Amino acid sequence: MARAIHRFQSGTDVLALQMDALYKAAPASVLTIFGGLIAISAYWSPQAKTGLLIWFFCICAPAAAYAIGAIARRSGRPKGWGPVAWSHVSKAIFLISGLAWGIGGAWMLSIGDHSQTLVICCVVMGAITCTFPNVVYEPAHFLFQVPILAIFTITLAASDVEFGGLLAIAAALLCIALVVMARAVGSQLTLALHLSLENKQLAEDLAERGIALERANRQLSVEALTDPLTGMANRRQLMNFMRTNAGRTALLIADIDHFKSYNDSFGHVDGDICLVLVAGALQNAIRPGKDLAARLGGEEFAVILSDLSQDEAIAVADRIRSNVQTLIDGHPRQIRRPVTISIGLAYRSSERDKTHADLMEEADTALYQAKNSGRNRVSAHASPSGDLPGAAPARA
């Protein structure tokens, strides 16, 4: 069913392209006027003038309708007309035009002399030749040329025109040859239109797949650099940030105090809620774009502070500690008991006198110092007292 719908849509799209090509050739219909004037000038006489004027009107009216249709189609009118409607209009125009040329030409053959016969035959052949590009839509082309050549074949065969029999045979053979040629050329043009549509569709599909792939790559990149539970940076992103961070740098490693007991008491679901809220407290204390907070794993977090003095970094660390300690006040239904963190801080001056490994080792050492000193406090590596002066006593 889906394949049938696709074929129908493809056929409609090809028909639309055929109509576009057909109506782009409409300006050539002005040649009808010149061909008609040539024939009239050759056959003009008082006895034939009325018939000639009627014939001229009959060939010019479809040509005018063809040109007007091209303008209307370009402007999108009538609204709601699709390729099928335009194909019906084009077939009607070409059939009327072909009958007008065929019947009018046959009439002129019957009233003209040998010299005039040559003129009308040349004019009609010129009309058929000029419309050959319309083979892009075979039905319209056949409805124009076949009536002309068929009527001429019959008329020439029945007339007393010199070599009328030979001319009738030539007209019949020409009709057959043009039909065969038109079918061959038309099928190739239709195939080219199909391929054009398929290439366009392929290009659109590739573009959509490229966008989807790019989106998927971005998502993979986010997943590769993001902690799935808290949505904050993971260890990989933390290390990348540290490598690109020049100048003064403070590394904070924070660990939730007695988190195993919290998990054992309230379950992993509440434990995960606790981790998410603690992560939010860390994120709220840093400067977006300058600092980075990350989850190292389990209940351990890290924060990188850029371009701050050591005292300023210690102040930020204590703000983080305080934010976590007061989580229970802001989230009494989500935090089941008071939660605190211990923070170890390592600092590197603008001279970059320490490696990333040095900072990690010093921050870990400072964290153990904070844990051993009673928890719920900030400990700066190599600080005189070890603990931040005025740090809150451990509550957990």
Side-chain angles (χ1 to χ4, degrees), residues 35-365:
L37 290 175
I38 291 173
I40 287 175
S41 64
Y43 278 86
W44 188 261
S45 68
Q47 296 81 10
K49 66 178 181 179
T50 301
L52 291 172
L53 291 176
I54 293 173
W55 172 75
F56 187 69
F57 172 79
C58 289
I59 64 171
C60 287
Y66 187 31
I68 293 171
I71 296 172
R73 180 174 171 78
R74 193 177 298 114
S75 62
R77 297 183 180 182
K79 292 183 178 179
W81 276 31
V84 175
W86 281 107
S87 69
H88 293 329
V89 171
S90 66
K91 286 186 285 189
I93 289 174
F94 278 83
L95 176 59
I96 294 171
S97 182
L99 290 173
W101 276 97
I103 295 172
W107 171 69
M108 283 183 245
L109 284 175
S110 66
I111 65 171
D113 56 25
H114 298 305
S115 300
Q116 291 171 321
T117 298
L118 178 62
V119 172
I120 190 59
C121 286
C122 289
V123 169
V124 169
M125 291 304 103
I128 292 175
T129 303
C130 289
T131 58
F132 192 79
N134 295 334
V135 74
V136 68
Y137 183 54
E138 295 176 37
H141 179 69
F142 293 154
L143 287 172
F144 178 77
Q145 76 165 24
V146 172
I148 296 176
L149 292 174
I151 293 172
F152 263 61
T153 298
I154 296 171
T155 303
L156 287 169
S159 69
D160 58 353
V161 174
E162 187 177 4
F163 304 114
L166 291 176
L167 290 174
I169 295 172
L173 292 176
L174 179 61
C175 181
I176 296 172
L178 288 177
V179 168
V180 173
M181 291 170 59
R183 290 298 300 273
V185 175
S187 63
Q188 291 300 311
L189 290 174
T190 302
L191 177 60
L193 293 176
H194 273 289
L195 292 176
S196 173
L197 286 174
E198 290 180 1
N199 288 338
K200 180 181 178 182
Q201 185 62 49
L202 179 60
E204 292 175 354
D205 291 344
L206 289 175
E208 290 178 2
R209 293 183 182 183
I211 293 173
L213 182 59
E214 183 179 355
R215 189 182 298 116
N217 286 337
R218 285 199 300 267
Q219 182 63 29
L220 288 174
S221 178
V222 169
E223 292 176 358
L225 299 174
T226 305
D227 176 63
L229 175 63
T230 62
M232 64 194 320
N234 60 11
R235 180 183 290 270
R236 178 179 296 177
Q237 188 175 354
L238 176 79
M239 299 310 295
N240 291 341
F241 188 82
M242 287 183 68
R243 280 193 288 269
T244 59
N245 196 47
R248 298 183 297 178
T249 302
L251 172 62
L252 283 57
I253 296 183
D255 188 87
I256 302 176
D257 297 325
H258 302 296
F259 185 70
K260 184 178 184 303
S261 172
Y262 190 99
N263 248 348
D264 293 341
S265 299
F266 307 111
H268 290 286
V269 173
D270 284 320
D272 288 346
I273 293 173
C274 177
L275 289 171
V276 171
L277 291 175
V278 170
L282 269 68
Q283 296 276 30
N284 292 335
I286 65 174
R287 302 163 298 172
K290 290 188 175 182
D291 306 325
L292 181 73
R295 183 186 178 198
L296 297 180
E299 68 272 25
E300 194 172 47
F301 300 85
V303 176
I304 298 177
L305 303 175
S306 304
D307 198 25
L308 292 178
S309 66
Q310 185 171 11
D311 290 340
E312 291 171 328
I314 291 174
V316 172
D318 192 54
R319 185 161 65 247
I320 292 173
R321 182 201 61 79
S322 178
N323 288 348
V324 173
Q325 186 176 3
T326 58
L327 279 176
I328 191 170
D329 299 328
H331 306 275
R333 295 184 179 180
Q334 295 171 290
I335 296 295
R336 305 293 296 274
R337 75 182 186 196
V339 175
T340 62
I341 59 172
S342 300
I343 300 175
L345 184 149
Y347 186 79
R348 182 182 67 190
S349 65
S350 57
E351 285 77 17
R352 297 180 64 90
D353 51 347
K354 298 176 183 178
T355 65
H356 303 144
D358 293 337
L359 285 175
M360 292 292 291
E361 184 178 354
E362 291 180 0
D364 272 331
T365 301

